[in-house]
């Protein structure tokens, strides 16, 4: 059998083609590897399995200010702050703390939310006047926002803060100011011509949770744990987590002050149950023996429940308001 010899020119042409193919593969591999290591931060997401719901926390400004001195801060409630404000929107897992600080390569960039400044200053304000106006938002984004980027509705700073602002309108625990400041401006429309129609038009999005159950700010009235819990449960169908802080007067008297209402939400922002955890405030752990009070009960008995820092740090799923006696819900005074 005669084999036709391959000329030198044809041989080298084949070799060149083989090297060219290998070269293309090397280039492609380099691009892929480079992309993995130099992937833009906006495409880095938190593992979806690390969290299964949100905790949406709203703060009562007098409670935030009551804690300011414990954190060595100066509190200021601006004239634009009229009601409950947003503390945070926190990805959470079961009954435990959710993931935190998930992507340090995606730092806070104020320019991304600059157009939201007016709304943020009103509904998600930094009340610590001795810190940068943006430090609170930076904290919330760095610690919590970077952990829910796997969800389209909270992926990126603008989406994350917009989601929080929208939730504040949807689940605001007190909406009395909405009619006074906004509802009265659209009475020319038949659908919103009076207070009842205004709130009905929102399709139960603006829930006057506390006021509808008679829980209103007062200089003298006090409310129980059940007053707050039942008011919110009546509105959304699930119990919230409520947080209190302790005020210690110079004469030695101690009283509790409402600080936060926290509700749990599914990833589609519908309400769900908050599962109580096992870590309790002030370092108390539930280690109840046969013949002794639990550490949590000891804390409540000694009036220690609520002794905590509220503005940036406390994210436990356990309510810290006393269940055995009433606490205060004072009006907002600009300070």
């Amino acid at each position: 059998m005669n084999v036709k010899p391959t000329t030198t020119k044809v041989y080298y042409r084949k070799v060149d083609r083989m090297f060219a193919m290998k070269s293309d593969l090397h280039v492609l591999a380099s691009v892929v590897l480079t992309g993995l290591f130099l992937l833009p931060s906006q495409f880095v997401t938190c593992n979806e399995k690390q969290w299964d719901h949100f905790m949406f926390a709203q703060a009562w400004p007098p409670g935030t200010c009551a804690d300011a001195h414990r954190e060595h801060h100066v509190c200021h409630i601006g004239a634009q702050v009229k009601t409950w404000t947003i503390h945070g929107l926190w990805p959470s897992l079961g009954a435990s703390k959710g993931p935190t600080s998930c992507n340090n390569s995606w730092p806070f960039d104020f320019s991304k939310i600059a157009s939201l400044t007016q709304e943020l200053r009103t509904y998600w304000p930094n009340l610590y006047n001795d810190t940068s106006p943006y430090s609170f938002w930076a904290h919330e984004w760095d610690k919590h926002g970077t952990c829910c980027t796997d969800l389209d509705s909270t992926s990126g700073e603008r989406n994350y803060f917009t989601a929080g602002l929208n939730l504040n309108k949807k689940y605001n625990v007190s909406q009395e100011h909405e009619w006074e400041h906004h509802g009265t401006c659209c009475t020319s429309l038949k659908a919103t011509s009076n207070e009842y129609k205004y709130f009905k038009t929102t399709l139960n999005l603006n829930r006057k949770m506390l006021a509808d159950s008679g829980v209103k700010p007062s200089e003298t009235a006090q409310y129980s744990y059940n007053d707050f819990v039942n008011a919110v449960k009546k509105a959304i169908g699930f119990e919230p987590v409520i947080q209190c802080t302790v005020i210690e007067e110079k004469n030695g008297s101690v009283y509790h002050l409402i600080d936060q209402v926290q509700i749990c939400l599914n990833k589609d922002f519908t309400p769900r149950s908050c599962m109580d955890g096992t870590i309790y405030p002030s370092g108390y752990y539930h280690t109840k023996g046969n013949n002794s009070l639990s550490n949590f009960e000891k804390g409540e008995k000694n009036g220690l429940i609520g002794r905590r820092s509220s503005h940036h740090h406390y994210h436990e799923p356990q309510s810290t308001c006393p269940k055995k006696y009433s606490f205060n819900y004072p009006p907002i005074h600009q300070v």
Side-chain angles (χ1 to χ4, degrees):
M1 180 177 179
N2 294 326
V3 179
K4 185 177 181 180
T6 303
T7 64
T8 304
K9 183 181 292 186
V10 173
Y11 171 78
Y12 280 111
R13 191 180 300 132
K14 289 183 177 180
V15 172
D16 289 343
R17 202 157 37 234
M18 291 173 59
F19 276 107
M21 291 175 64
K22 288 185 178 180
S23 179
D24 289 342
L25 289 173
H26 289 156
V27 170
L28 179 61
S30 298
V31 170
V32 172
L33 290 173
T34 302
L36 290 175
F37 287 103
L38 300 179
L39 194 65
S41 59
Q42 60 264 37
F43 294 110
V44 178
T45 60
C46 192
N47 190 330
E48 186 178 358
K49 295 181 180 179
Q50 293 180 336
W51 67 288
D52 56 16
H53 71 282
F54 286 107
M55 175 168 275
F56 180 56
Q58 296 176 77
W60 187 237
T64 301
C65 285
D67 266 335
H69 72 280
R70 294 194 186 99
E71 296 189 359
H72 308 289
H73 287 296
V74 177
C75 193
H76 172 71
I77 302 177
Q80 80 281 3
V81 178
K82 306 289 186 181
T83 186
W84 289 77
T85 62
I86 303 169
H87 182 171
L89 179 62
W90 307 322
S92 304
L93 179 64
S96 62
K97 288 183 179 181
T100 58
S101 305
C102 296
N103 185 3
N104 58 15
S105 68
W106 197 345
F108 177 75
D109 180 358
F110 174 70
S111 67
K112 303 294 185 184
I113 59 170
S115 61
L116 301 175
T117 301
Q118 185 174 352
E119 283 187 272
L120 290 170
R121 287 186 66 250
T122 301
Y123 301 110
W124 202 332
N126 178 7
L127 299 183
Y128 288 172
N129 201 36
D130 57 334
T131 63
S132 162
Y134 316 133
S135 62
F136 183 33
W137 305 328
H139 169 86
E140 291 300 311
W141 167 253
D142 292 340
K143 187 170 183 178
H144 304 289
T146 57
C147 295
C148 52
T149 54
D150 59 302
L151 202 63
D152 288 343
S153 54
T154 51
S155 180
E157 281 182 49
R158 186 172 182 83
N159 286 342
Y160 174 73
F161 285 100
T162 297
L165 290 170
N166 288 338
L167 288 171
N168 191 51
K169 298 172 185 176
K170 185 175 183 178
Y171 297 115
N172 198 319
V173 293
S174 176
Q175 286 290 344
E176 290 182 290
H177 76 293
E178 289 297 321
W179 168 251
E180 297 170 358
H181 293 275
H182 305 292
T184 54
C185 298
C186 54
T187 53
S188 60
L189 293 177
K190 185 177 181 180
T192 54
S193 60
N194 59 43
E195 186 174 0
Y196 171 76
K197 290 182 178 179
Y198 172 72
F199 284 107
K200 184 178 179 181
T201 300
T202 62
L203 199 59
N204 291 327
L205 297 186
N206 288 327
R207 297 180 182 274
K208 299 183 294 180
M209 299 181 188
L210 299 178
D212 278 352
S213 294
V215 180
K216 300 180 180 181
S218 172
E219 297 284 7
T220 56
Q222 290 189 322
Y223 299 97
S224 70
Y225 171 89
N226 287 334
D227 289 334
F228 271 82
V229 169
N230 291 338
V232 177
K233 184 177 180 180
K234 179 182 176 182
I236 66 173
F238 298 95
E239 290 189 6
V241 175
I242 60 172
Q243 308 286 7
C244 285
T245 187
V246 171
I247 304 297
E248 300 176 4
E249 300 288 4
K250 292 182 179 180
N251 61 9
S253 62
V254 176
Y255 66 93
H256 289 79
L257 173 69
I258 187 66
D259 186 21
Q260 293 190 52
V261 171
Q262 302 169 349
I263 62 175
C264 292
L265 306 170
N266 294 305
K267 290 186 177 184
D268 63 357
F269 303 121
T270 55
R272 56 165 280 169
S273 172
C274 288
M275 301 169 61
D276 273 353
T278 56
I279 300 177
Y280 293 88
S282 305
Y284 289 100
Y285 288 80
H286 197 286
T287 54
K288 190 173 182 178
N290 293 330
N291 300 313
S292 63
L293 293 173
S294 69
N295 287 333
F296 177 68
E297 290 171 324
K298 289 177 182 178
E300 186 174 33
K301 182 177 180 181
N302 293 327
L304 297 176
I305 300 307
R307 192 186 304 277
R308 57 162 192 80
S309 169
S310 69
H311 193 48
H312 285 178
H313 308 295
Y314 191 82
H315 305 154
E316 300 294 352
Q318 172 68 37
S319 292
T320 60
C321 293
K323 297 182 180 180
K324 297 180 180 179
Y325 47 90
S326 299
F327 45 88
N328 297 73
Y329 179 26
I332 293 176
H333 297 293
Q334 270 63 43
V335 294

